[in-house]
């Protein structure tokens, strides 16, 4: 569809983002945020420059109200709001939390008006006006959301939203509640609502059209987009904040938030919710700026814009060169240089051949694999800085414990630790044994594969960073704790080998 001039997103448009991770995002199956976690996420949203933070639904319960109150107590620049059903009691509960505003959801489609709420179109109009007047009389900023608006009769949706604005609402919201519609229908509905007054867009990704519908809404006149970090939400999730933000700025030159904060924000939300970042996720996925293909790696090394739409630093990321069956000489050489390994052109060619052979066996080639191959090819034997000698971990008691014995440049070190599980306890013991030498950051940790049967093997992959170096190591063992510790120790060993002298021993 060729956009009309009215639908074009011009660079002088003002578009803001409303984040509903703390409300709609938390409705994703298995996600439950504590007050402390909501505060941490809210602070991240503030650093990112989000305009409106929907902190939760005050009607959910006392715990939710405590969390919302904690967020309002932060005195953020962003407007802090609560989601409200079409009931005065919900507005009262939101007021008790000290929010700046409310989102009042009212039924818009006949399926919701008649089937869910059990009312009529006329009574729904009257109830909506009364709720808006009640909220505005109490000094609240008010947005009215027409639930299931994408399946509503557009004439009635227009009448409903017009009623809300006439009653004093600050804005209305077009909601594609079940991710049902496409950009054309979205543009038609939003253009009609935008003619009435300020309008927002709330889109879901059930058809994979969340961003397309959000951009269509903006082109049709919406100036506020509801999003969640990492696209969290019910079913397939809400439209992802990071995707809307980068699309508006990169394609249309419309600034919304501080883009360089997006990756840190994504990691905060991922840790708090326990939902890992999909590797192929736009903007924040591990693979978004990772290159393995020899052609792509060579091109990127020559011109970083060759195979990337925008620089990774734009969204707080760094470029990575992955190793595997598709890796060429340029990628191998660049990765070796990152680890300060000198190799001749012939040696680089041989190393690249062996890396390809490893990849052909179905293995993911890590930095440690590459360095081991390089040492064999170049004949550069190295002495380990840190080596695991013994590990014992127990989790049968009330507190998981672990003891560790390491060889640190010929010195034996023993330490113990406790944690939330045996892996956590073992990692704590390693850090205790190494003291200040363990000042590396664990950037990622995941179980890469588990085989079935009685001889099951688990593969753990860790990425650790220290100063300006990053190393990825994978280890496979029958025991997840041992695999985790061996991977972590091997990564630390690689990170510490460039140190001229060892740091102070661990305290007794």
């Amino acid at each position: 569809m060729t956009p009309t001039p009215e639908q074009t997103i011009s660079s002088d448009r003002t578009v803001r983002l409303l984040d509903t991770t703390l409300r709609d995002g938390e409705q994703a199956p298995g996600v439950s945020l504590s007050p402390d976690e909501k505060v941490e996420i809210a602070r991240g949203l503030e650093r990112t420059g989000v305009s409106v933070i929907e902190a939760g639904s005050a009607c959910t319960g006392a715990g939710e109200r405590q969390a919302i109150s904690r967020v309002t107590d932060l005195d953020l620049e962003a407007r802090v709001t609560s989601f409200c059903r079409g009931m005065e009691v919900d507005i009262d509960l939101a007021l008790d939390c000290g929010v700046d505003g409310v989102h009042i959801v009212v039924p818009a489609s006949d399926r919701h008006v008649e089937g869910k709420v059990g009312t009529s179109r006329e009574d729904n109009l009257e109830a909506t006006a009364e709720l808006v007047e009640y909220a505005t009389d109490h000094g609240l900023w008010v947005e009215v959301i027409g639930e299931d608006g994408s399946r509503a009769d557009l004439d009635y949706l227009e009448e409903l939203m017009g009623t809300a604005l006439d009653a004093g609402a600050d804005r209305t919201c077009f909601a594609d509640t079940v991710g049902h519609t496409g950009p054309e229908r979205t543009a038609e509905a939003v253009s009609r609502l935008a003619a009435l007054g300020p309008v927002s867009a709330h889109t879901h990704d059930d058809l994979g059209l969340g961003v397309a519908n959000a951009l269509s809404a903006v082109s049709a006149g919406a100036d506020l987009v509801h999003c969640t970090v990492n696209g969290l939400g019910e079913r397939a999730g809400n439209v992802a904040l990071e995707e809307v933000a980068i699309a508006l700025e990169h394609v249309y030159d419309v600034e919304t938030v501080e883009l360089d904060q997006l990756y840190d924000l994504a990691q905060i939300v991922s840790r708090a919710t326990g939902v890992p970042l999909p590797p192929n996720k736009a903007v924040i996925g591990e693979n978004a700026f990772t290159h393995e293909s020899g052609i792509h790696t060579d091109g990127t090394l020559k011109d970083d814009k060759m195979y990337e739409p925008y620089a990774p630093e734009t969204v707080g990321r760094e470029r990575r060169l992955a190793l595997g069956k598709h890796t060429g000489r340029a990628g191998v050489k660049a990765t070796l240089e990152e680890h300060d390994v000198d190799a001749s052109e012939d040696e680089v060619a041989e190393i690249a051949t062996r890396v390809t052979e490893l990849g052909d066996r179905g293995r993911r080639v890590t930095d440690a694999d590459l360095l081991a191959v390089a040492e064999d090819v170049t004949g550069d034997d190295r002495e380990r800085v840190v080596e695991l000698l013994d590990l014992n971990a127990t989790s049968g008691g009330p507190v998981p414990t672990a003891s560790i014995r390491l060889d640190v440049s010929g010195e034996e070190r023993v330490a113990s630790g406790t944690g939330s599980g045996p892996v956590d306890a073992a990692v704590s013991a390693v850090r205790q044994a190494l003291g200040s030498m363990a000042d590396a950051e664990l950037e990622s940790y995941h179980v890469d594969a588990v085989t079935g049967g009685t001889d099951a093997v688990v593969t753990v992959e860790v990425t650790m960073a220290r100063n300006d170096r990053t190393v990825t190591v994978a280890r496979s063992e029958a025991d997840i704790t041992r695999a985790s510790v061996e991977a972590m120790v091997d990564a630390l060993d690689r990170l510490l080998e460039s140190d001229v002298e060892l740091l102070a021993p661990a305290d007794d």
Side-chain angles (χ1 to χ4, degrees):
M1 183 180 74
T2 302
T4 64
E6 291 76 24
Q7 292 174 312
T8 301
I9 303 175
S10 61
S11 60
D12 61 355
R13 286 283 304 278
T14 298
V15 181
R16 296 175 297 156
L17 301 186
L18 176 153
D19 183 82
T20 181
T21 303
L22 304 183
R23 198 273 301 178
D24 220 353
E26 194 183 24
Q27 292 178 190
V31 173
S32 180
L33 297 170
S34 69
D36 285 344
E37 288 167 336
K38 285 203 171 190
V39 165
E40 182 184 16
I41 293 172
R43 285 178 170 147
L45 292 168
E46 175 83 348
R47 288 193 297 272
T48 307
V50 168
S51 296
V52 184
I53 299 173
E54 189 175 25
S57 301
C59 62
T60 300
E64 180 78 339
R65 290 191 287 277
Q66 178 193 2
I68 295 172
S69 296
R70 289 277 304 278
V71 174
T72 60
D73 287 344
L74 296 174
D75 194 26
L76 304 175
E77 289 287 331
R79 176 178 283 124
V80 178
T81 60
S82 172
F83 182 85
C84 295
R85 300 167 298 177
M87 305 168 65
E88 287 187 2
V89 64
D90 283 20
I91 297 172
D92 291 335
L93 292 171
L95 284 164
D96 290 342
C97 297
V99 296
D100 304 311
V102 291
H103 309 277
I104 302 174
V105 62
V106 297
S109 68
D110 289 337
R111 178 179 278 104
H112 281 245
V113 172
E114 299 169 1
K116 176 183 174 182
V117 180
T119 187
S120 66
R121 286 186 172 189
E122 292 73 19
D123 288 345
N124 188 44
L125 293 173
E126 183 179 346
T128 297
E130 291 175 354
L131 287 166
V132 171
E133 290 169 357
Y134 185 80
T136 55
D137 285 347
H138 286 81
L140 291 170
W141 174 89
V142 177
E143 177 184 69
V144 174
I145 302 173
E147 188 171 19
D148 204 28
S150 59
R151 294 192 291 191
D153 175 83
L154 292 189
D155 289 337
Y156 180 68
L157 179 65
E158 188 175 356
E159 183 180 9
L160 177 64
M161 297 295 99
T163 298
L165 290 170
D166 290 343
D170 293 275
R171 62 172 48 246
T172 63
C173 178
F174 170 76
D176 185 23
T177 303
V178 297
H180 156 80
T181 196
E184 294 82 6
R185 171 77 168 181
T186 297
E188 182 183 3
V190 171
S191 63
R192 293 176 65 167
L193 299 183
L196 302 176
V199 61
S200 312
H202 182 105
T203 66
H204 282 257
D205 209 33
D206 296 79
L207 299 179
L209 293 173
V211 173
N213 284 331
L215 295 179
S216 180
V218 171
S219 72
D223 61 355
L224 182 68
V225 179
H226 292 206
C227 315
T228 60
V229 179
N230 305 341
L232 286 173
E234 295 176 289
R235 306 179 311 278
N238 294 48
V239 67
L241 181 147
E242 61 277 0
E243 294 179 16
V244 173
I246 191 64
L248 283 171
E249 184 152 334
H250 179 70
V251 180
Y252 302 103
D253 201 25
V254 174
E255 297 180 5
T256 55
V257 296
E258 301 295 330
L259 296 182
D260 60 359
Q261 295 294 318
L262 290 177
Y263 186 55
D264 283 345
L265 179 61
Q267 290 182 308
I268 290 171
V269 171
S270 179
R271 287 194 299 269
T273 60
V275 179
L277 303 179
N280 61 330
K281 183 77 163 59
V283 186
I284 47 83
E286 180 182 350
N287 294 346
F289 298 98
T290 299
H291 305 274
E292 179 183 322
S293 165
I295 295 174
H296 280 212
T297 299
D298 183 59
T300 301
L301 290 170
K302 291 175 179 175
D303 179 354
D304 56 15
K305 294 183 180 180
M306 190 79 72
Y307 290 105
E308 292 173 348
Y310 54 91
E313 294 81 10
T314 304
V315 291
R317 303 291 306 277
E318 292 182 356
R319 184 177 298 107
R320 290 183 63 247
L321 301 179
L323 302 167
K325 65 184 292 184
H326 303 293
T327 303
R329 297 185 187 184
V332 167
K333 183 177 181 179
T335 307
L336 290 172
E337 289 174 353
E338 287 181 2
H339 292 284
D340 299 322
V341 175
D342 292 324
S344 67
E345 290 299 320
D346 289 342
E347 289 170 338
V348 169
E350 175 63 20
I351 294 168
T353 298
R354 296 198 191 183
V355 167
T356 299
E357 290 172 353
L358 286 174
D360 281 336
R361 297 175 200 165
R363 285 190 54 180
R364 184 180 186 277
V365 184
T366 66
D367 300 321
D369 295 325
L370 172 69
L371 294 172
V373 170
E375 288 158 11
D376 186 50
V377 170
T378 62
D380 183 18
D381 294 332
R382 62 180 288 271
E383 293 184 5
R384 289 188 61 120
V385 179
V386 182
E387 187 171 6
L388 176 65
L389 300 178
D390 192 28
L391 166 67
N392 289 292
T394 60
S395 58
V399 179
T401 60
S403 60
I404 198 92
R405 189 161 62 92
L406 301 175
D407 182 297
V408 184
S409 293
E411 175 192 353
E412 187 173 301
R413 297 188 186 180
V414 178
S416 60
T418 60
S420 58
V423 173
D424 188 40
V427 170
S428 176
V430 170
R431 292 192 179 280
Q432 180 68 25
L434 292 177
S436 57
M437 293 178 68
D439 61 346
E441 179 182 354
L442 182 63
E443 287 196 339
S444 71
Y445 167 93
H446 66 267
V447 177
D448 196 51
V450 180
T451 62
T454 56
D455 58 345
V457 172
V458 59
T459 299
V460 174
E461 182 178 291
V462 302
T463 298
M464 300 192 71
R466 185 170 185 266
N467 298 326
D468 59 349
R469 294 188 65 205
T470 300
V471 172
T472 299
V473 177
R475 287 294 175 262
S476 299
E477 292 286 344
D479 178 71
I480 189 173
T481 303
R482 177 165 287 277
S484 301
V485 171
E486 286 189 352
M488 180 178 176
V489 169
D490 286 354
L492 285 168
D493 176 57
R494 292 290 180 180
L495 290 172
L496 291 168
E497 68 179 329
S498 61
D499 286 5
V500 177
E501 58 183 7
L502 294 177
L503 302 177
D507 296 331
D508 293 331

